[in-house]
Amino acid sequence: IQLLQLYYTPVLVTLGLLTNALLLTIISTSPLWKRSTIHFIAAMSSADILLLINLSLIWINNMGIPIYTVGAMCHFTSFLGHMSNFLLPWYTVCLALDICLHQCCFQTARKICTIIKTKVLIIIVCVCSIAVFLNLSLLVSVVHIGNIPLCAPVNIFVPTLKLLDNIDVFLNRLLPYCLLITLLIYYVPASCCRKRLNSETHITSDTTEIHLQSVPEYEIVGDVGKTSCVVIILTLICNLPSVVLRSIHTINVLYYPLVPIDMSLLLWQQISEYGNYTRSCLLLFSVVLPSKIIKEHIIALLKKCRKKALLKKCRNQQRQDESEPDNSPGLECDTAEQV
């Protein structure tokens, strides 16, 4: 676990922040940005950034730089960690509900799952997490173990925080992941049936966005649904070990021991927490690789950047060669404009 904290954590933080920033840039400029499903993926990516920032602060403190003693950093890291751990599973549940609604009642989903309502839901979930965990962050303070300052509950609030921690296991782990498994079990066969039906009837929509009119509506829904399904499966694979081990530990403490409580169980629980951080780094690939529309958008962006680079290079060459009539950079510029 010390090797993970020392070497793996900075790699995760760096890659995770870069990939999530790149993902937000790609999907916010893609034609699918007008889809409610993509907004939930963007919300998940934003929550991942908060999670990784919190992980980086914890790593810096553990490396011997006592940032917990600076101002209210102890309260801030406690708040940021609880908030991101709440947002991630529930934004994933919203994503699963969205794709299931588009499968079972497509016309109703077009009225319910509008962009404005999606943004309102994302903001409501975020505000609720802020309201709850901002107060809980005031119940912790800095304690020193050796030379390292740590963030721990104030003694008089320890029983309260233990109770709230157990409620947190149910609300942020057991409940959302049970819902995710249930919705995924429903979505996969429903998606297969709808795909077969649409391939026979070739249904299109008159209200499809202009830039996607050449693609049948069911293909767009299928592309977004497939991407969302991969994101949900990745979340389950990476986070379920942590959910199971944390739940076992909570039941052991509250009720009766299911398994003997020893250091190995606690060690595996700490290692399993890195599954969620690893998923944050893989979110970009789970969105880009399954989606044909997003891959085509990335290719278009790369061509656009190449064209701008060629035009810039051409104009710089023209300025340098203005005094040389034998050169003909205009042909190169014309070629660059046609790229």
Side-chain angles (χ1 to χ4, degrees), residues 147-165:
N147 295 326
I148 300 177
L150 297 176
C151 208
V154 180
N155 289 333
I156 59 174
F157 296 126
V158 168
T160 304
L161 282 175
K162 282 186 177 179
L163 176 62
L164 294 175
D165 185 56

Side-chain angles (χ1 to χ4, degrees), residues 19-29 33 41-43 45-46 49:
T19 54
N20 280 282
L22 182 59
L23 175 61
L24 288 174
T25 303
I26 291 172
I27 62 179
S28 62
T29 58
W33 185 241
I41 294 178
S45 182
S46 302
I49 291 175

